[in-house]
Amino acid sequence: MYEFRMPSLGADMEAGTLVEWLIKPGDEVQRGQVVAVVETQKGAVDVEIWEAGTVDKLVVETGRKVPVGELLALLRTAGEAAATVPETPAAAATPQAATAPAIVAAAPPRAAATVVSARQRVAPAARKLAEELGVDIAAVQAAEPGAVISRADVERAAQAKTPIPTVAKAAAPDWHAQMRMAIAAAMSRSKREIPHYYLATDIDVTAVSSWLETENLKRSVTERLLPVVPFMKAVALALREVPELNGFWSDGAARPSAAVHLGMAIAMRGGGLVAPAIHDADRKSLDQLMAELRDLITRVRSGRLRSSEMSDPTVTFTNLGEQGVEGVFGVIYPPQVAIVGLGRISERPWVEGGAVVVRKVATATLAADHRASDGHRGGLFLAALDRLLQQPEKLR
Amino acid sequence: MTSYNREQIRDIIFDALGAIAPEVEPAMIAPERPLREQIDIDSFDFLNFIIRLHETLGIDIPEKDYAELLTLNSAVEYLTRRCAARE
């Protein structure tokens, strides 16, 4: 039995509200399939499942706020019989049987802590009324302990003036306040825990700029690349050369990642930001990166992100040049260990071979976790970035 | 080919902007000031703006002409001219 739990969709997330199940008992699910929608402080997220099998039971009802790590659903993996029976692992030493005890062993403390308050039974009519009245259903007490929550209970709670904004009707100021709280928590933790060091280097980007100009001239408007795209690729490739900047710091140790999942800092309309991942950015073509960036920004601004994009960036890239800033010294998003910044591309005087020439120049920056890497290695990263940008035709 | 007058082009511009930045109030846009000073749009939004104009008007706007779309007035001028030129 695979236990599908509320994933952590970022360092700042403690709980999420289950908005919608996209599966029901008996459904077959595939690895990577979006199975639920969860509302977080940073908006609604499509949550994927990373195990294939048959849905056995949905443990949590929609509308509930669920702590990270709590059981959401049970899944029968290949070859497993229906629910409730296999509390004892089957005698046959299948791979599932081998992994199951570890999961079960880890589970009880979490489950025990939440089970008392979590086992709330709510009449559908009561839930509907709670939504209408803006009452947090999770906070409503039944008239008698253990009884099903009725409309009367909800009305009583509403009169007691405990309204909270519902997911669907959340007023804009509240949503923004939530977003600010999420950012505040993550950034405060970062500045409290992470000993940042900061490096900057000016890079001659004339070659990559003119290459892109020529390239875009050949393309129709719908196929054009944004200026940031070749930089994304160069950053991802440079990270491969200095792996200690790509990954996490957790449990007192650096944990570099073999894959480069580039978290792109994307501003949300009206304030706030998220930095979801473009997976394996180092191995994708510029066209692929552009397509994925387009998809990601569109979903950040008008749709929904997927859980894997929120939870697994290995590094963050922030491009603030468009606002005219020359350089950005970022705050690392824990548990990541680095954030790469790019400033405005502008024409500047540049000394080359003893003469002053005009070149297109951009300031690239690195803020990195000194526990995981040193300034010398950080410098090598920026040097690699510079080198890669001088040969834009190789970035394809 | 459809031809457009300035008023129609203006409406098409506002439709395209509205799709990208729903908070935009056409009446609030100062026609001589750069759009990007008045509306919070980045290069991605701007590219989408160009794509929408391309889809509606059927003209391809090369990157080197982006500067012509800086203000509302210059954009109306430029797009009217481009649409007329292909007649």
Side-chain angles (χ1 to χ4, degrees):
Chain A
M1 194 66 63
Y2 174 74
E3 298 181 336
F4 176 59
R5 295 177 176 278
M6 176 64 80
S8 171
L9 306 171
D12 42 7
M13 175 170 160
E14 287 169 1
T17 303
L18 182 71
V19 179
E20 192 182 356
W21 276 118
L22 303 174
I23 49 170
K24 56 184 188 309
D27 283 0
E28 295 287 328
V29 296
Q30 303 302 318
R31 262 179 68 87
Q33 183 176 334
V34 175
V35 295
V37 181
V38 168
E39 182 76 18
T40 72
Q41 286 176 312
K42 294 195 170 184
V45 175
D46 284 335
V47 176
E48 300 141 303
I49 197 163
W50 296 102
E51 188 73 46
T54 309
V55 180
D56 190 75
K57 191 181 176 202
L58 303 180
V59 177
V60 169
E61 294 171 41
T62 55
R64 254 199 56 208
K65 192 167 182 180
V66 184
V68 169
E70 192 176 314
L71 187 64
L72 292 175
L74 290 167
L75 192 73
R76 288 195 302 278
T77 48
E80 272 184 306
T84 57
V85 198
E87 218 45 41
T88 49
T94 62
Q96 284 84 8
T99 54
I103 297 164
V104 173
R110 287 197 196 118
T114 49
V115 118
V116 182
S117 61
R119 286 285 152 201
Q120 186 196 35
R121 289 181 300 153
V122 184
R127 183 178 302 284
K128 193 159 175 290
L129 182 66
E131 273 175 31
E132 285 166 12
L133 297 177
V135 170
D136 180 10
I137 195 73
V140 176
Q141 304 279 332
E144 286 171 42
V148 175
I149 288 168
S150 65
R151 281 177 65 95
D153 295 324
V154 173
E155 278 165 1
R156 208 169 52 244
Q159 279 163 9
K161 291 252 178 265
T162 51
I164 64 129
T166 61
V167 168
K169 292 177 197 155
D174 292 311
W175 183 82
H176 279 288
Q178 286 210 1
M179 163 72 80
R180 290 266 44 107
M181 276 172 61
I183 295 171
M187 295 298 98
S188 302
R189 179 184 156 196
S190 174
K191 282 286 182 169
R192 201 166 49 237
E193 294 179 3
I194 303 178
H196 289 63
Y197 70 86
Y198 305 96
L199 307 175
T201 195
D202 287 341
I203 297 179
D204 177 354
V205 296
T206 311
V208 67
S209 297
S210 18
W211 177 82
L212 189 66
E213 215 170 282
T214 314
E215 188 62 33
N216 276 345
L217 211 57
K218 293 184 231 160
R219 294 163 177 252
S220 84
V221 60
T222 50
E223 286 165 348
R224 274 176 212 160
L225 300 172
L226 284 171
V228 72
V229 173
F231 288 91
M232 289 162 61
K233 181 71 181 272
V235 165
L237 290 175
L239 283 166
R240 268 208 316 226
E241 296 186 26
V242 189
E244 54 269 62
L245 297 176
N246 179 58
F248 309 101
W249 179 273
S250 62
D251 303 324
R255 301 179 197 284
S257 163
V260 181
H261 301 322
L262 195 62
M264 294 299 297
I266 297 170
M268 300 178 87
R269 190 148 282 290
L273 87 159
V274 287
I278 291 189
H279 295 122
D280 301 306
D282 55 327
R283 289 185 293 176
K284 288 187 171 145
S285 71
L286 296 188
D287 284 317
Q288 275 175 301
L289 291 174
M290 178 65 205
E292 294 199 16
L293 181 67
R294 162 181 294 284
D295 175 52
L296 212 51
I297 301 177
T298 305
R299 284 191 290 113
V300 163
R301 295 195 178 153
S302 61
R304 281 206 296 263
L305 290 168
R306 286 191 275 270
S307 53
S308 58
E309 294 162 343
M310 297 292 283
S311 59
D312 66 6
T314 56
V315 66
T316 301
F317 181 31
T318 176
N319 169 32
L320 276 184
E322 290 186 22
Q323 280 67 42
V325 303
E326 204 150 292
V328 44
F329 295 93
V331 181
I332 299 166
Y333 190 64
Q336 293 168 30
V337 291
I339 175 167
V340 180
L342 183 69
R344 165 171 63 114
I345 296 173
S346 60
E347 290 192 329
R348 296 189 217 169
W350 190 257
V351 178
E352 201 175 63
V356 179
V357 292
V358 176
R359 306 291 274 178
K360 283 189 174 154
V361 178
T363 303
T365 57
L366 171 74
D369 186 337
H370 216 326
R371 296 170 301 182
S373 69
D374 305 317
H376 174 68
R377 298 289 292 164
L380 285 178
F381 164 77
L382 289 177
L385 183 61
D386 188 343
R387 171 169 41 78
L388 289 158
L389 287 169
Q390 301 316 317
Q391 294 181 300
E393 64 287 347
K394 288 192 181 164
L395 292 174
R396 324 191 59 150
Chain B
M1 281 285 175
T2 332
S3 82
Y4 300 93
N5 62 33
R6 283 186 160 66
E7 209 45 48
Q8 289 167 321
I9 296 272
R10 230 180 94 93
D11 290 345
I12 288 167
I13 291 172
F14 279 124
D15 282 349
L17 284 177
I20 292 152
E23 72 278 8
V24 168
E25 278 290 334
M28 301 297 285
I29 299 292
E32 292 291 351
R33 267 185 65 200
L35 288 167
R36 284 178 78 164
E37 282 177 13
Q38 307 177 71
I39 311 168
D40 183 12
I41 48 176
D42 60 15
S43 60
F44 175 74
D45 295 323
F46 191 75
L47 181 58
N48 278 341
F49 174 58
I50 301 284
I51 290 173
R52 280 179 183 274
L53 293 176
H54 161 77
E55 284 166 353
T56 315
L57 298 170
I59 51 169
D60 203 64
I61 303 164
E63 271 187 339
K64 65 172 175 55
D65 289 354
Y66 282 4
E68 308 246 21
L69 299 167
L70 216 58
T71 70
L72 179 61
N73 278 356
S74 67
V76 171
E77 276 313 308
Y78 171 78
L79 294 172
T80 312
R81 196 171 68 234
R82 285 289 313 275
C83 288
R86 70 175 174 192
E87 299 280 305

